[in-house]
Amino acid sequence: IYKITMNNATKNNGGTMKPTTLGFPIDGNGNILLGRKRRGFGADKYNGFGGKVQDGEIFRDCMVRELFEEVSLVADPNHLDAVALFDFVFPAAPELTHIGYVYMISQYEGLPLMSEEMEPQWFAIQHIPYESMWKGDRVWLPELFKGYRLKGVITFADDNEAVDHMWLQPVETIAELEDEVLCKEWIYEGYSHE
């Protein structure tokens, strides 16, 4: 279990943002495709591809849709590798709080193309621009690249940028649940912020 604590965090029960997906395409040489966000929340940061689950949509279908919309890659929802489930908690802006599944995507078709939202760029794992990503990414993303599967709670500070508290727990498999309440129950099993 990884614990990084700057202050105490509390279990979120009132976030209003829809659940999300986040995917990282990997090429045959082990390079990771990231996108520089061109607008909106997280603009100018590098990240994986993904977004909010639409009404009636399951997580895997959301990931496939977002991958196509943001970078023009086509993937089969059955070929996504679920590697993490996180609760991203924003106490200063509860409307940003959300759960999110993270996927590694090694099977896809097409060439990555820039969209209105994302500018794609391939990176070797040792050259990932963590300094231009969300601050928590530099902790959990390398663990996923090492092959760990994680569940956890990432609580942001009042500036909605710095990480106030992070709790990560390696797991054998990621519980793929479609109900947000059940997802949170699974994430918080064994949770400790002390």
Side-chain angles (χ1 to χ4, degrees), residues 37-39 69-70 113-119:
K37 190 94 187 284
R38 299 179 67 204
R39 64 178 188 191
E69 289 176 1
E70 292 184 352
L113 300 175
M114 184 167 58
S115 65
E116 289 182 17
E117 190 169 350
M118 298 291 264
E119 179 182 346

Side-chain angles (χ1 to χ4, degrees), residues 13 23-24 31 41 52 67 77 80 82 99-100 104 122 125 128 132-133 138-139 148 150 154 161 164-165 181:
N13 291 315
F24 295 92
N31 297 309
F41 185 60
K52 296 177 191 134
L67 186 66
L80 304 175
I99 62 165
M104 293 296 170
W122 289 104
I125 287 178
I128 290 179
S132 298
M133 298 175 74
R138 67 191 67 190
V139 176
Y148 289 102
L150 301 172
I154 301 169
E161 174 77 22
D164 186 48
H165 173 85
V181 172

Side-chain angles (χ1 to χ4, degrees), residues 18-145:
K18 290 184 176 185
T20 65
T21 60
L22 183 62
F24 295 92
I26 304 169
D27 73 9
N29 296 318
N31 297 309
I32 306 299
L33 185 65
L34 298 176
R36 186 185 62 78
K37 190 94 187 284
R38 299 179 67 204
R39 64 178 188 191
F41 185 60
D44 291 321
K45 292 185 186 305
Y46 280 97
N47 205 349
F49 303 92
K52 296 177 191 134
V53 176
Q54 294 180 350
D55 291 339
E57 188 174 46
I58 64 172
F59 285 98
R60 285 175 171 267
D61 290 344
C62 172
M63 183 67 259
V64 168
R65 176 183 52 75
E66 290 283 351
L67 186 66
F68 182 74
E69 289 176 1
E70 292 184 352
V71 73
S72 299
L73 295 179
V74 177
D76 182 326
N78 296 314
H79 294 149
L80 304 175
D81 185 15
V83 293
L85 177 57
F86 296 130
D87 191 7
F88 296 98
V89 181
F90 292 82
E95 68 278 7
L96 299 177
T97 295
H98 62 282
I99 62 165
Y101 275 96
V102 180
Y103 300 95
M104 293 296 170
I105 307 165
S106 58
Q107 296 182 38
Y108 52 85
E109 294 180 5
L111 295 172
L113 300 175
M114 184 167 58
S115 65
E116 289 182 17
E117 190 169 350
M118 298 291 264
E119 179 182 346
Q121 184 174 345
W122 289 104
F123 292 93
I125 287 178
Q126 65 271 24
H127 297 297
I128 290 179
Y130 290 112
E131 68 283 353
S132 298
M133 298 175 74
W134 288 100
K135 291 183 179 171
D137 293 1
R138 67 191 67 190
V139 176
W140 59 264
L141 196 51
E143 297 304 306
L144 297 181
F145 293 147

